[in-house]
Amino acid sequence: MARLVVLGGGVAGHTTATFAAKWLGSEHEVVVVTPNSQWNWIPSNIWVGVGQMTKKDVTFDLAPVYAKAGITYYQAKATSLNPEGNETSDKPFVSIEYTEEGKAGQVENIEYDYIVNATGPKLNFGATPGLGEGDQLGEHTVSVCTAGHAVHANEKLQEAIEKMKGGTRQKFLIGTGHGMCTCQGAAFEYIFNIEHELSKAGVRDMADIKWISNESFLGDFGMGGLHMKVGGYVVSSKLFAESLFAERSIEWLIGAHTSKVEAGKLHYELLDGSTGEEEFDFSMLIPPFAGVGLKAYAKDGSDITDTVFAPNGFMKVDADYTPKAYADWKAADWPRTYQNPSYKNMFAAGIAFAPPHAISKPMKSPNGTPINPTPPRTGMPAGIIGKAVAHSVCDMITKGDAAHLHEASMAEMGAACVASAGKGIFDGTAAAMTVYPVVPDFEKYPGTGRDTDYTFGEIGLAGHWIKHVLHYLFIYKAKLNPGWTLIPE
Amino acid sequence: MKQEEYNFEKEQFSLTMIPGKFARAMRTCVIWQFFRFLVLNIKMIIVVGKSH
């Protein structure tokens, strides 16, 4: 019997573990180590953050689902890897620290034959002074990164709405909390959902809403933007995004590195090197992401973290990490199998793998501050990568270590993205977009880097219906209800 | 003044394209959006199929 340990129970980890458990059956063991007791459909957190959904609507308990799937579940966080074992054993193991109530703080080693690192990111609030400490959200801003954060965000939003109803004007500042953030899409959705809710509450005229982002142009989304077919034209997402901001009367500040946050005030530096301040009454800022801080040790106990992980804490995989100028970036730089180059029984999936470089053009202010989005690896790509990794590990277990590895390069896969701009069964809207491929391939698609037949976007009620249907569909799938394997990632 | 013209008054928005009344109405027209719902689903299924 072989044992596969999956670190993380998010989109990538849950997909890997559940497919591996299904394909391997009871002959082998699948273990999930995740610090959370609940699964969270993160794309719907923005609706919790405006009071249109509850925490219960976007989460469910993991334990009964894993029990049904025959998966061994540890509510714990991984702290270190020993891929060669230690001085007393050749068996690789992962050290964990329980987070489960009643066992919190207890440590244990779990031996493995194969391991998949799908921990997701550390929400690195501590990278920006005043935004928070370590992975803990500070007191000056709110967040929608977790369901709990979103509940808190909605409480603050309702307070702001009450103030506006009482005649006090409010300034809303939404966007990214650092020059190296990713996940602009969540902030994009949240700012338009707030605008929609303020309109519904009849207080839109009492609100000043402003977007602040590390993107060098609106609509970059960490993917260097995209060109899509709209109304018979092929247009840049810049036009698409600017149009929506102008229509909703939301001002923007882009190319901005948030350097410090205080009570009611944000300090920033722009790409031209200038600095400034923005005051706010309500602010939601996405933190930068980092690896969760896993350490790695060799058999003799020496620290090999730098061998296994990139400096940002994400796990090295089969990407080309050679430093290159932007002009030399290639689609082929991106990983295909997500296997660690040093340890063949180790894989990474979703946000946890180290990308070879950004997708957006790297930029610095004259002061040397890097201000550009880091590449998104969430949602559909995370699920597809997780499934491909599960397939590879299952084949290695059943056919031997020489088995063919399955591939899921982000330079060869597309992604469907539905960004809500307001919730409502008849008055909601969302931008429904697809990109193909996620990482532009300028050798295959000279010009835009993507296939414009499969890269499109439009905004409307239909997009909202799709996002709403996907909410129920993916929670149904994640609960492993009948037919779950038929629903694509 | 029409809504889109009011927004064009702001300097930051003056070079953007802002939808007029008809385009905005079509975004929430249930009959048209039901048709777009079908079209978008087909397009997305094709992209999802190409990505697996």
Side-chain angles (χ1 to χ4, degrees), chain A residues 407-419:
Chain A
E407 298 180 351
S409 168
M410 283 175 60
E412 293 173 7
M413 77 168 77
C417 173
V418 189

Side-chain angles (χ1 to χ4, degrees), chain A residues 38-61 144 146-155 158 197 423 468 471-472 475 479:
Chain A
Q38 291 189 312
W39 193 83
N40 176 206
W41 178 238
I42 293 171
S44 293
N45 284 355
I46 49 115
W47 286 337
V48 178
V50 293
Q52 289 297 308
M53 278 193 173
T54 65
K55 184 179 179 183
K56 195 178 172 189
D57 291 330
V58 299
T59 56
F60 63 80
D61 288 338
V144 290
T146 69
H149 286 172
V151 170
H152 169 248
N154 178 50
E155 290 168 359
Q158 298 310 320
E197 293 303 319
K423 189 173 182 294
H468 213 161
H471 166 88
Y472 293 107
I475 288 179
K479 286 182 174 177

Side-chain angles (χ1 to χ4, degrees), chain A residues 252-277:
Chain A
W252 62 81
L253 187 62
I254 50 174
H257 162 66
T258 301
S259 54
K260 186 180 174 186
V261 181
E262 300 173 39
K265 189 186 285 185
L266 176 148
H267 301 257
Y268 63 82
E269 177 185 347
L270 297 180
L271 273 168
D272 64 8
S274 62
T275 57
E277 298 172 357

Side-chain angles (χ1 to χ4, degrees), chain A residues 124-413:
Chain A
N124 197 13
F125 291 103
T128 303
L131 193 60
E133 290 291 330
D135 61 357
Q136 297 300 308
L137 173 66
E139 59 184 334
H140 305 313
T141 63
V142 300
S143 154
V144 290
C145 292
T146 69
H149 286 172
V151 170
H152 169 248
N154 178 50
E155 290 168 359
K156 294 292 182 187
L157 175 64
Q158 298 310 320
E159 288 175 16
I161 289 174
E162 286 307 311
K163 285 179 185 170
M164 285 186 282
K165 284 180 176 173
T168 307
R169 197 166 186 84
Q170 296 283 287
K171 167 82 175 282
F172 292 79
L173 188 63
I174 314 290
T176 55
H178 191 272
M180 298 293 283
C181 283
T182 184
C183 224
Q184 289 78 12
F188 177 93
E189 289 188 270
Y190 195 53
I191 197 169
F192 286 108
N193 270 271
I194 282 185
E195 198 275 340
H196 183 73
E197 293 303 319
L198 297 185
S199 296
K200 277 166 57 180
V203 292
R204 177 63 183 91
D205 59 335
M206 293 293 289
D208 299 307
I209 310 179
K210 192 160 190 173
W211 171 255
I212 182 168
S213 165
N214 58 345
E215 301 160 290
S216 64
F217 61 91
L218 273 185
D220 179 289
F221 297 129
M223 299 187 294
L226 57 143
H227 289 78
M228 51 194 172
K229 283 187 173 171
V230 182
Y233 289 80
V234 176
V235 300
S236 164
S237 52
K238 178 177 185 287
L239 285 177
F240 188 78
E242 286 184 351
S243 173
L244 190 56
F245 276 76
E247 178 195 342
R248 300 283 189 94
S249 202
I250 297 174
E251 295 180 357
W252 62 81
L253 187 62
I254 50 174
H257 162 66
T258 301
S259 54
K260 186 180 174 186
V261 181
E262 300 173 39
K265 189 186 285 185
L266 176 148
H267 301 257
Y268 63 82
E269 177 185 347
L270 297 180
L271 273 168
D272 64 8
S274 62
T275 57
E277 298 172 357
E278 280 287 335
E279 294 189 345
F280 62 82
D281 298 295
F282 176 101
S283 179
M284 196 293 291
L285 299 172
I286 298 285
F289 291 170
V292 295
L294 272 172
K295 307 288 284 182
Y297 299 103
K299 191 172 177 59
D300 61 4
S302 58
D303 192 325
I304 55 168
T305 305
D306 292 347
T307 305
V308 176
F309 296 95
N312 55 13
F314 297 119
M315 183 177 272
K316 291 179 185 173
V317 291
D318 60 322
D320 182 353
Y321 294 108
T322 312
K324 295 175 183 174
Y326 176 68
D328 297 326
W329 288 0
K330 298 276 188 295
D333 298 341
W334 286 76
R336 306 181 69 82
T337 66
Y338 303 89
Q339 187 180 44
N340 182 267
S342 304
Y343 299 98
K344 302 301 179 188
N345 61 346
M346 190 184 284
F347 293 79
I351 295 175
F353 85 81
H357 43 65
I359 301 175
S360 304
K361 190 173 183 178
M363 295 190 181
K364 278 185 181 177
S365 75
N367 309 319
T369 307
I371 306 176
N372 59 261
T374 46
R377 314 182 288 290
T378 52
M380 184 174 155
I384 293 175
I385 292 167
K387 188 175 181 181
V389 167
H391 227 141
S392 295
V393 173
C394 290
D395 281 356
M396 290 172 81
I397 290 173
T398 56
K399 297 174 184 172
D401 285 348
H404 171 72
L405 298 180
H406 293 258
E407 298 180 351
S409 168
M410 283 175 60
E412 293 173 7
M413 77 168 77

